Each structure stands twice: as C-alpha cells, then as structure tokens.
Amino acid sequence: MTTFANLDVPALLAELTLEEKASLCSGADFWHTKAVERAGVPAVMVTDGPHGLRKQSTSADQVGLADSVPATCFPPAVALGSSFDAGLVERVGQALGAETRTENVAVLLGPGINIKRSPLCGRNFEYLSEDPLVSGVLGAALVRGIQSAGVGACVKHFAANNQETDRARVSAEVDERTLREIYLAAFERVVSEAKPWMVMCSYNKVNGTYASQHPWLLTDVLRTEWGFDGVVVSDWGAVNDRVAALRAGLDLQMPAAGGHVTDAEIVAAVRAGELDEAVLDRAVERILTLLDRSLPAVREGGTFDAAAHHALAREAAADCAVLLKNDAVASADGSRAPLLPLDPAATVAVIGEFARTPRYQGAGSSQVNPTRLDDAWTAVREVAGDRAVFAAGFGLDDSANDEALRAEAVEAARAADVAVLFLGLPASDESEGFDRRHIRLPSAQIALLAAVAEVNPRMVVVLANGSTVQVSDWAHHAPAILEGWLLGQAGGGAIADLLAGRANPSGRLAETIPLRLADNPSHLNFPGELGVVRYGEGVFVGYRGYDAREQEVSYPFGHGLSYTSFGYTDLDITVDEQGVTVAATVTNTGSRDGKEVVQVYVSPPGSAVARPVRELKAFAKVALAPGESRRVDLTLTTRDLSYFHPVQGRWVLEGGEYDVAVGASSRDLRLSATVTVGSSEPAPPLAEDASLVEWLAHPVGSRLLQERLSVAGPSLLTDPEMHHVVGNFPLARLAAFPGMPITPADVEDLRRAAR
Ligand code: BGC
C-alpha cells in the first residue's frame, strides 16, 4: 500500500505568507479548498451529504442533480432517526465513508442534527428527531461510521436552524437554558463523543448575532467547553462579515464566490492592526490539520461494493419504517387477526402512484443520484405475481385526471382481498429552502382513501413523507398504517419485505404525530415575523410540550408496533454518585423474531424551574427471537438528570425523588420506580435581594436568621401565617419597615456570614 507523507503543519504555518494563509480560509470554487502549490499545500474536495454522496463537477449548479456521480441513497435522516438503532446507523455511516473515500472526497457534509421544532420545517427530512438524545446518539453513530473510513464528517447546521423561512437572516431568539438543553445538546454529544472533523455553522442569527460570527457559539461553547478541535466551515454563503467571522472562530468560508474578496479583507485587517494575525494562524492551523488528516484517504481512494450497499440500504429501510397501527380485521373464515403481515394467499390491489414512482428522498442540497432505485410495486409483484394488480389512484402532477384514476383504483380495491394504498406528500411540498404551510395530505389522496374504504375496509396505508403528516382525519378508515417516511433507494423492496412479513417493523417515532398542527408547541411562534423567531415554548419542544399540556396526540413519541409482542419485567434501579443505572428484562412474548426499542424516561422532582413531565434519557434496540429474554442495562449520568441553570451558567443536579420509567413509548411506560437522588450542590449564595422565603429555604441562612430572630422576639418575620403574605419580599427591604426586630445592616451581616 502506498503511504503518503503528512503535511508539516508547524513548518507550513511559519513559511506561508500572510496572503497565502488568508487564501486558505475560503474555497477555490463550490466544493474545493484552495491549494498553495508553491508550499505543497493541496486542495481537497468536500461534498454533500448527508444520506449519500453528492459529488458534482465544479461547474454544476449547487442543487442540480444532473451530473453528480451515482451513489447509494441511504434512508434520509427522518428514517434513520426512527430506527433508534445506533449500531445500524453506524454501519450506514461506514458505507457513506467508504463511498466518500472512493470518490477521493475529504469531508462528507453531514449529518444534519437540528431539532425538529415544528413539523412544518421544510428540511425535517434531513434531521433525526424532535429529541436531543436521539439526535445526539444517532448523529454520533453516523460521524463515527463516516470517519472510520479516514474521511471527515461535518455536523450541521450549528445552531438553532430549525426552519427554512428566512433562514439566511432570521434571528432565532432562544433563552440559554433552552439552547443548552434542547438545541445545543445533540451537537455537544456528537462533538464530545465522536470528534467530528468539521462543524458547519448555520445561516441564521442566534439571539441577534449571525451564527457565522458568533464568538460564544463558535469558540466559547464549541471549542472551549466541548473541546472541538476541527474546522468550522460556513454554510454555503452564510458569511456576512468575514473578519468578524474569523475572529469569532469560523475558519473556512464556503463556497468561493466572494471568497477571493474576503481573503483580501482578512489581509487588510491584519495589516491595519484590526485583526491579530494569531487568530488567522489558528484558523489556518486547523485547516492544514484537516488536510493532513484527510490526505491519506483522499489520495489513496478506495472501492465499495454497490450491491452490498444497496442491500444495507434495504435492511436499514426495513428497520426505519414505523408500524403505527395494525388492527385485527375479519377474514373470510370469520376469524380475526391483524391485517399485517399480508396473508400470502390474499389478492392485493396496490394503489397509489408512489408505489410505482417512489418518493425516497427530499429536495435540495442533499439530493443524491442513486445507484439504482427500487419501487414497491415491482417488489410486491415479484412475490405476489398475478395476485397483485396496480392502480395509480392519483397523479403526481396537476394535469392528472384524479377522478378517473380514483374510479379505476376503487374497482381494483373492490376486486381484491386487501388494498394497499401508497400515499404521501408530493416532492414539491418538502424541500430545503421553504417550510410547509400545513401538514395535511393532498385532498385527492384523502378522497381516494375514503372511496376505497367504502368498497374494501381491509386497507393498509403506506406513507411517504419527509416530515409528520396529519393522520387524525383519515386514520379511522385504515386498520393498518405503515409510516415509511423517505426510505432511500431500496425503500421499495423494504416496504414489500415488511408487508409480506419477511421483515418485522421495528421503527419508532422520533417525532410525535399530533392530532392537528395547531397542537404543536411551537405553533404560535413559527416561523416568526419581521426577521425574528421567538422560541417561546422554551424547552417544551415536541413530546415535552404535548405531555406538559396533557394533549391527546395521534401517535406519541417513541411509538411503533411490531408483528410480535414484548414484555417488560424485573426493573432494578441503582443510584450512586455517578448517576442512575436502570436494568430491566425484555422478553419477546410473540411468535416472530422482532426488535424492541427499550426507552427510559425520567420525571424530575418538583423543581426550581419549569421542567418537562418526562424526558427520554436512554434507549437501546434489542433483537429477540420468540420466547427469548434479554437483560438491558442503561446508565444515566448525573448530567442526564440535571437542568441548565441560566443564571449560574452551569448544569445543576437537584436533589429529590425522580420517577424512572421504562417502556415502549413516551406514553406506554411499562415499569417504573421512584428513586431518591441526593444533590451535591453547594447552597448557592444568598443574593442581596433574597426574599424571606429564600432565606428560610437556605440551609445556612435560615439557621442564622432563626437564631437572630429568636433573640429579637416575635414579629411578622417569625409568624408563619405572614410568610404567605410577605414571603416574596426581599428580606433587606422588610427589615427597613418600622418596628422590625432587625435592620437592613443586620441582614447584610447575616448574608456575609452565610457565605
Ligand atoms: C445547505 C447545506 C449544504 C450546503 C452545500 C447549503 O445550502 O444548507 O446543508 O451542505 O448548501 O450544498
């Protein structure tokens, strides 16, 4: 094997001229960094991502598909998130890394791990979950997989890029606790656990400052607190003020566009004494280090087995689809059984254009040119042969005659034992660049569904959508619903496997399906106005919000059925200084091989701040044969139990009773126990304006105050009845009232003594 000499980064830093160093800080074109040939610094290529390689020629338009090289289109993040399977996701990452390497590309621009704040976000199909734990664990698995091939992953879009509306300018107004607990948490986990080589800043502003020039985000939090040692790249065109961005910690501006101009701005700022050259040197050092890391793989290249990757894409797709519903229906002999898997002898009407023309990925910069594309109709027919017929049911363009197509489909459904309807969102509804306005399926599809239900109630709906659609208005028509999300190039075969029972559904919802859009916690604050979007729901995002408001939902976070069943027993929880260990036994109580996602939810004790009713704190996917049991151990750290104290600027573990529950969804908790967790928190200092109640709750302050008052004699300060009335008043001000037994100066003395 050829070995490639490393770059001598310190020597290069010393040798490069100011102009050469500045030139390295922006792209040469859309996808390449710049070379400095004189000094032997090569250029490397980066490409999208996230669920497949989109390697274009340099002249190509950014979102064009035409000339990107064929690559495996794995299930997009919306589907991978539903797998809840870090092992599977890591294998997909390895395959992505191998393809990246084969094309001599240095960094794959993914995964995207932004939180799904609203089902409307046009790019939800590129993101994993409404929950930061799922996003973080699976994001880290993808990064580990990709980087195992010797190429880099680029985690994006940092941070608070949760909508497409006005994405290049809008200011996400988010309080720090919400940022830390929800929107930064997945990035923190991925950065600290998987060490990505690159982080891409987002286009938007965060609390008034562009993410691309946000020193707190790009340096204080990302590097100083989390230890990120890679390159921060701008989202394509996200740089507003190049010098401010460099100063804030943004190393590489992409793409070239104004890049050559901004290189000169950097040089001028250094010459004018406005920018410390050491800041530039640090960015250049990080960029050179990235080149050094990637060169062996980029130069050596690799190969991959397209058929094996297609098979992995099919296996993954089958593990991502979520069986929402599978009611028992009567069969010809009068017995009742769940409609899925399909009876092998049944005649099947496959209805819906999506069965023949699959929707398998979303539009925009993530669009991959697949190596092949399976459709469900072909795959079903391979198994069912003449027992299956197809009817389009609706068209995918405006010129389709939906009424005629519907009539034909109804006749096909009438004649078949089972109707399988492939419904979903048209490609034009979901894309990078804009948000949806509603979450309904097209009306022609709902009309089709109602018409089919009238002639054949034995109906399965298979959905294709990149983000949640409302099901509450039609789910009653369908005994079985399989949420297929967007399943990538092999999704058609995977759906056929699931329908026939060759594969057993094991996906779980990584996002809640609400009854209606208006129930979503962000509803009144999405997508904002006049350049500002206020994250008014705070930490109550997704199920955290539905649960806090005790709202009924169509299907809760974590939900997903199987063709087998699982039992939970023997919960055992131990608490020590490191945190909480949860163990439970899961048993496959049915008659088929299956996979269960064991989920641990924690409810905090009464708290100083408003906290979610319950939060997912650990999960594991286990494969079990019929009758097989497995002991599942999951560990929660003290940090997992803590909240972020925005005033003290740190994570705080509250002492008290925590409810720990293990179950199959956020609303299907099978075992639970209450554990007492001690807090090692030192008592916070009493503030100058601490209230009487705060004094009385303070372990030291309360003792000192009571001692002083017991000497001074009874007053409203010692009367428990009066505590209701004046308890929220600052003690120092109460002390100034006439006739009080202590003075403001006494209070200040006590306060010092209590420290
Ligand atoms: C997207 C990024 C993408 C980049 C390059 C941007 O518009 O937001 O996710 O990686 O383009 O295509």
Side-chain angles (χ1 to χ4, degrees):
M1 192 197 289
T2 330
T3 51
F4 298 98
N6 285 4
L7 293 184
D8 185 343
V9 175
L12 280 169
L13 262 182
E15 182 195 337
L16 294 173
T17 65
L18 175 62
E19 284 76 6
E20 286 168 340
K21 287 189 287 186
S23 78
L24 287 174
C25 295
S26 68
D29 53 36
F30 240 107
W31 305 113
H32 291 85
T33 61
K34 288 206 206 83
V36 182
E37 275 160 26
R38 178 192 71 75
V41 178
V44 294
M45 185 178 205
V46 300
T47 73
D48 287 309
H51 57 270
L53 194 73
R54 189 173 68 101
K55 183 184 178 188
Q56 298 190 293
S57 72
T58 4
S59 56
D61 65 304
Q62 192 209 356
V63 289
L65 256 182
D67 56 359
S68 77
V69 298
T72 311
C73 179
F74 287 97
V78 57
L80 287 182
S82 293
S83 76
F84 276 74
D85 188 339
L88 172 80
V89 169
E90 187 163 342
R91 284 167 58 213
V92 170
Q94 287 161 359
L96 288 167
E99 296 197 20
T100 305
R101 184 179 180 126
T102 300
E103 289 297 333
N104 310 92
V105 169
V107 179
L108 183 71
L109 301 175
I113 58 168
N114 295 92
I115 294 293
K116 302 185 200 221
R117 177 174 175 244
S118 162
L120 296 177
C121 173
R123 237 178 150 176
N124 274 359
F125 64 85
E126 270 188 79
Y127 301 141
L128 291 157
S129 179
E130 69 186 19
D131 178 81
L133 181 74
V134 176
S135 305
V137 169
L138 300 185
L142 274 167
V143 170
R144 275 196 306 274
I146 293 167
Q147 295 193 165
S148 70
V151 297
C154 175
V155 186
K156 62 192 190 181
H157 308 87
F158 190 61
N161 179 186
N162 310 97
Q163 64 187 55
E164 293 299 285
T165 305
D166 203 18
R167 71 167 164 163
R169 299 179 308 181
V170 72
S171 177
E173 305 282 321
V174 202
D175 66 84
E176 188 178 355
R177 189 182 147 218
T178 301
L179 268 178
R180 298 281 194 162
E181 292 185 23
I182 306 291
Y183 296 100
L184 300 186
F187 287 97
E188 179 180 8
R189 183 178 290 274
V190 175
V191 165
S192 48
E193 287 182 7
K195 309 254 174 277
W197 292 5
M198 224 185 217
V199 166
M200 185 188 292
C201 79
S202 57
Y203 286 119
N204 52 286
K205 303 185 190 98
V206 179
N207 294 324
T209 303
Y210 278 108
S212 61
Q213 56 195 59
H214 208 303
W216 180 80
L217 267 183
L218 302 188
T219 296
D220 300 352
V221 172
L222 180 63
R223 296 187 195 280
T224 312
E225 284 187 34
W226 301 347
F228 177 64
D229 66 356
V231 165
V232 176
V233 64
S234 69
D235 198 344
W236 267 227
V239 171
N240 186 53
D241 174 334
R242 182 61 184 106
V243 173
L246 191 67
R247 221 182 263 124
L250 185 127
D251 307 310
L252 178 62
Q253 175 184 14
M254 288 297 287
H260 305 286
V261 178
T262 52
D263 297 348
E265 287 171 10
I266 294 173
V267 171
V270 172
R271 293 242 157 87
E274 290 157 10
L275 178 71
D276 186 348
E277 193 167 349
V279 172
L280 172 63
D281 285 353
R282 272 199 295 278
V284 173
E285 185 181 2
R286 293 190 286 245
I287 291 165
L288 291 172
T289 305
L290 176 87
L291 300 182
D292 184 48
R293 281 171 159 173
S294 65
L295 283 177
V298 165
R299 289 185 169 154
E300 199 177 295
T303 52
F304 73 94
D305 178 344
H309 283 193
H310 185 77
L312 174 61
R314 182 167 178 159
E315 178 196 337
D319 274 0
C320 293
V322 183
L323 183 62
L324 296 177
K325 178 177 183 183
N326 192 17
D327 287 352
V329 291
S331 44
D333 65 4
S335 64
R336 290 181 71 81
L339 186 51
L340 289 175
L342 296 175
D343 175 351
T347 56
V348 185
V350 173
I351 295 171
E353 186 56 52
F354 291 128
R356 185 169 62 177
T357 312
R359 254 213 86 206
Y360 62 101
Q361 63 176 333
S365 65
S366 68
Q367 217 166 324
V368 175
N369 181 12
T371 57
R372 58 183 265 201
L373 181 57
D374 293 351
D375 65 272
W377 163 233
T378 305
V380 169
R381 199 179 35 186
E382 270 168 18
V383 184
D386 290 347
R387 284 182 293 99
V389 295
F390 173 78
F394 55 88
L396 294 181
D397 58 54
D398 293 341
S399 61
N401 183 344
D402 285 330
E403 262 176 52
L405 292 173
R406 188 183 316 145
E408 181 200 5
V410 166
E411 289 321 306
R414 197 194 304 273
D417 294 331
V418 183
V420 183
L421 266 68
F422 286 77
L423 307 181
L425 293 176
S428 56
D429 272 25
E430 292 183 290
S431 170
E432 176 176 344
F434 61 87
D435 296 317
R436 280 188 295 163
R437 296 292 169 96
H438 62 80
I439 60 169
R440 294 184 304 276
L441 287 176
S443 49
Q445 293 185 31
I446 304 214
L448 169 69
L449 180 122
V452 168
E454 274 185 27
V455 299
N456 191 344
R458 296 167 57 84
M459 177 167 70
V460 180
V461 170
V462 179
L463 289 171
N465 47 297
S467 181
T468 305
V469 292
Q470 178 172 317
V471 302
S472 55
D473 47 340
W474 54 261
H476 56 281
H477 287 308
I481 306 175
L482 183 64
E483 173 55 271
W485 304 119
L486 305 177
L487 287 178
Q489 68 179 47
I495 294 283
D497 291 342
L498 291 165
L499 293 174
R502 288 190 302 266
N504 189 348
S506 66
R508 301 290 183 264
L509 289 179
E511 54 199 284
T512 310
I513 304 184
L515 288 179
R516 60 188 87 77
L517 174 65
D519 291 347
N520 180 263
S522 74
H523 188 61
L524 297 179
N525 290 301
F526 187 96
E529 59 207 5
L530 306 176
V532 169
V533 51
R534 215 168 53 79
Y535 285 36
E537 70 283 4
V539 297
F540 297 96
V541 177
Y543 68 92
R544 290 167 168 79
Y546 298 114
D547 286 354
R549 290 181 295 174
E550 297 178 358
Q551 275 169 315
E552 204 187 313
V553 299
S554 287
Y555 294 101
F557 177 83
H559 169 79
L561 303 175
S562 166
Y563 296 153
T564 188
S565 52
F566 300 94
Y568 288 71
T569 53
D570 301 319
L571 177 65
D572 185 21
I573 303 184
T574 47
V575 184
D576 63 21
E577 280 184 358
Q578 266 67 56
V580 175
T581 307
V582 183
T585 301
V586 190
T587 304
N588 182 342
T589 52
S591 53
R592 283 171 180 267
D593 289 350
K595 291 180 190 161
E596 174 69 325
V597 177
V598 179
Q599 304 166 38
V600 177
Y601 292 88
V602 174
S603 305
S607 170
V609 294
R611 293 180 71 172
V613 180
R614 72 184 62 84
E615 295 181 280
L616 182 72
K617 291 299 175 186
F619 62 89
K621 194 167 195 174
V622 284
L624 295 169
E628 188 184 351
S629 292
R630 180 89 45 84
R631 193 84 182 138
V632 178
D633 284 288
L634 293 160
T635 307
L636 320 182
T637 63
T638 51
R639 160 67 192 273
D640 292 331
L641 305 178
S642 304
Y643 74 94
F644 189 83
H645 196 303
V647 180
Q648 296 176 21
R650 63 190 185 95
W651 294 91
V652 167
L653 174 67
E654 294 178 294
E657 295 194 327
Y658 288 76
D659 289 333
V660 178
V662 179
S665 88
S666 60
R667 295 198 177 177
D668 180 8
L669 305 173
R670 305 284 182 85
L671 303 170
S672 72
T674 303
V675 294
T676 304
V677 173
S679 168
S680 54
E681 290 295 324
L686 282 158
E688 272 177 42
D689 65 352
S691 67
L692 174 59
V693 163
E694 285 164 358
W695 271 89
L696 294 173
H698 192 273
V700 186
S702 130
R703 183 172 47 78
L704 296 177
L705 180 63
Q706 314 261 19
E707 280 167 13
R708 180 67 64 90
L709 292 177
S710 69
V711 177
S715 75
L716 67 81
L717 296 184
T718 51
D719 177 357
E721 290 290 303
M722 290 306 289
H723 291 173
H724 296 302
V725 184
V726 297
N728 290 327
F729 225 78
L731 180 63
R733 272 194 253 160
L734 279 176
F737 282 4
M740 281 295 136
I742 53 172
T743 66
D746 294 335
V747 173
E748 188 52 23
D749 283 349
L750 289 177
R751 197 170 78 84
R752 290 221 185 88
R755 264 197 221 144

